[in-house]
Amino acid sequence: MIICPFFMQLDKGFTYQLLEWYKKNKRTLPWQKDKNVYKIWISEIILQQTRVEQGTPYYTRFINRFPSLNLLAKASLDEVLKLWEGLGYYSRARNLHFTAKYIFNELNGEFPRDYEGLLMLKGIGPYSAAAIAGFAYNLPHPVVDGNVVRFIARLLGIYSDKNASKTHTEIRKLLTPLIEDTSPSAFNQALMDYGSLVCAPKNAKCLECVFQEECYAFNSNKVYQLPIKKNAKKKNERYLTFMIWRRGDMFALEKRDDKEIWKSLYQFPLLQTSREQFESKKTLDYEDVKIEVDGPFVFETKHILSHQKLFIRIVRIPQSIEPPKNKSWKWKSTEEIKDLAFPVVLKKYIEQELKGNNID
Ligand code: SF4
């Protein structure tokens, strides 16, 4: 790991200042009210890749519906995905459901009680294992998420790739002696909160920061150059046409089994094409059916995911065109659609149409 000559030392003085700040700025979050490992696990998985403000209503809905691990283990994946709808990174919901069933069936309903045991569970990496071990069992494992990497990289002048697991491991090593000397749950929460609330990505509050005098980035005028992101891969582009086939109150839907995105969510039948076909063709070649697109698409948008750029359009298929044979679609009524989980980009459209009841 490349670290610039230190302005700041990670020592007891750092811990003291951090915890003093935390005492004054502590937020009371719903999952911190008790040391329930199940609730802490749910909150930590929701908060991966999600801001506290966005994740809190999802957490509340999730815990109201599944107040215990047993209930989550017995639920259907469709119901879990429906509660997760709109939060993105759906593998988190699938892994939660898988792990709940695993703990219920294989571990007698008991969570592992140490960091290493937690790390063995599907969907739990070093960050989540450290957070759960710290908040539920008060075990001293520092959390290193994106907020912590940014904060520590700026503070110390670390010029290593912020996404590399090696960088996370090295920062974890730097923080381990500090957490062993204090309350692990307070230290971890303080670190994450400081990174997200003060040493923020775009509007860092350097002028009110308690580490300003010793901070490498502030004193070198490099706040927004750190942390470093290397080898950003070009986003893969995909061209997706969703087709609305309707028969009375029933709509044709398919369940996704795409390994890359939205697995197990529902969608209108999909035609994926090259960019050229997407841009130039007014004829859709779908299975054994040729569809002439007459008039504008009912919805067109761009949707950006972490590794993909999606070009999306929705088209209504005239009643006169028979659906292709041998398709394993499911025909669902408008009532049934309300209980199914869709990718957020389709959900917005569907809600709008169902509200106005103007899908023809
Ligand atoms: Fe972050 Fe600015 Fe504080 Fe440095 S001075 S730790 S860049 S908020």
Side-chain angles (χ1 to χ4, degrees):
M1 185 164 63
I2 311 155
I3 301 184
C4 282
F6 282 0
F7 281 70
M8 177 84 203
Q9 296 290 326
L10 287 187
D11 56 14
K12 284 186 178 169
F14 167 80
T15 309
Y16 177 79
Q17 280 179 292
L18 181 68
L19 293 179
E20 282 300 298
W21 172 86
Y22 181 60
K23 270 188 219 161
K24 291 178 203 142
N25 295 280
K26 187 174 173 178
R27 297 183 283 183
T28 307
L29 301 170
W31 47 88
Q32 291 173 339
K33 287 186 188 138
D34 53 46
K35 295 266 177 194
N36 182 314
V37 62
Y38 169 71
K39 291 182 181 172
I40 289 169
W41 170 57
I42 300 289
S43 71
E44 288 307 326
I45 302 303
I46 287 177
L47 292 181
Q48 291 170 0
Q49 325 273 357
T50 302
R51 284 176 296 107
V52 168
E53 300 71 32
Q54 191 198 356
T56 303
Y58 279 88
Y59 169 82
T60 307
R61 276 201 296 276
F62 214 88
I63 291 298
N64 285 343
R65 173 61 191 90
F66 304 120
S68 68
L69 180 121
N70 299 0
L71 290 172
L72 177 56
K74 288 175 189 165
S76 71
L77 179 58
D78 276 353
E79 192 180 358
V80 174
L81 288 169
K82 183 67 187 168
L83 277 175
W84 205 269
E85 195 180 40
L87 201 51
Y89 297 98
Y90 291 89
S91 59
R92 294 181 295 173
R94 291 190 297 272
N95 289 340
L96 264 187
H97 187 239
F98 178 92
T99 297
K101 287 199 293 186
Y102 175 78
I103 295 175
F104 182 71
N105 293 322
E106 308 295 328
L107 305 181
N108 213 15
E110 299 283 333
F111 271 85
R113 290 197 60 84
D114 58 16
Y115 176 83
E116 291 73 21
L118 291 165
L119 210 45
M120 301 298 289
L121 299 174
K122 195 169 182 183
I124 296 190
Y127 160 77
S128 305
I132 298 166
F135 295 131
Y137 308 136
N138 228 20
L139 295 172
H141 297 277
V143 290
V144 179
D145 67 353
N147 290 320
V148 175
V149 169
R150 181 175 58 255
F151 171 35
I152 300 299
R154 287 173 175 173
L155 198 61
L156 303 185
I158 295 175
Y159 280 79
S160 307
D161 179 11
K162 69 173 186 173
N163 293 324
S165 59
K166 203 171 156 212
T167 307
H168 287 229
T169 304
E170 293 296 328
I171 290 178
R172 201 171 298 120
K173 273 190 205 159
L174 291 173
L175 294 169
T176 297
L178 303 182
I179 198 173
E180 285 171 351
D181 253 4
T182 186
S183 154
S185 57
F187 182 84
N188 276 341
Q189 195 60 55
L191 259 185
M192 291 192 290
D193 284 358
Y194 207 88
S196 74
L197 300 175
V198 182
C199 199
K202 286 189 182 135
N203 297 307
K205 296 178 181 154
C206 296
L207 296 181
E208 35 184 282
C209 175
V210 296
F211 302 108
Q212 182 203 97
E213 267 182 38
E214 299 159 289
C215 172
Y216 167 83
F218 180 76
N219 289 290
S220 316
N221 206 17
K222 298 229 164 66
V223 173
Y224 297 109
Q225 290 167 37
L226 287 171
I228 300 286
K229 184 178 175 184
K230 288 185 183 156
N231 305 328
K233 277 193 194 155
K234 193 173 177 288
K235 286 184 196 288
N236 186 19
E237 293 186 350
R238 293 172 83 177
Y239 297 86
L240 312 177
T241 301
F242 291 101
M243 294 166 289
I244 303 175
W245 300 78
R246 181 175 185 174
R247 292 293 177 266
D249 185 38
M250 308 297 279
F251 292 85
L253 295 178
E254 54 192 15
K255 199 169 189 175
R256 288 183 66 84
D257 62 359
D258 189 318
K259 286 190 180 63
E260 290 180 83
I261 53 166
W262 302 336
K263 187 177 173 193
S264 301
L265 271 64
Y266 285 84
Q267 66 185 15
F268 295 120
L270 168 66
L271 176 65
Q272 181 162 317
T273 59
S274 67
R275 178 179 177 166
E276 291 69 36
Q277 288 171 315
F278 190 84
E279 285 176 348
S280 66
K281 275 187 111 179
K282 280 281 181 182
T283 304
L284 308 177
D285 283 317
Y286 184 66
E287 306 282 326
D288 53 349
V289 179
K290 265 198 190 325
I291 304 157
E292 294 300 327
V293 178
D294 182 17
F297 291 97
V298 292
F299 181 75
E300 291 186 78
T301 190
K302 235 186 272 175
H303 192 63
I304 310 289
L305 300 172
S306 57
H307 297 99
Q308 302 190 26
K309 197 188 274 186
L310 307 179
F311 295 82
I312 290 174
R313 62 191 184 184
I314 299 177
V315 61
R316 285 195 187 99
I317 306 301
Q319 295 270 350
S320 55
I321 299 181
E322 280 302 313
K325 296 179 181 73
N326 303 325
K327 282 302 292 179
S328 56
W329 295 344
K330 289 188 180 358
W331 289 89
K332 299 276 185 187
S333 68
T334 47
E335 237 359 82
E336 288 172 302
I337 286 177
K338 289 177 188 161
D339 292 330
L340 304 178
F342 290 85
V344 72
V345 67
L346 293 184
K347 175 183 155 74
K348 279 184 202 158
Y349 167 77
I350 288 164
E351 277 175 357
Q352 182 189 318
E353 290 290 305
L354 290 184
K355 220 182 269 170
N357 200 23
N358 55 352
I359 296 180
D360 56 32

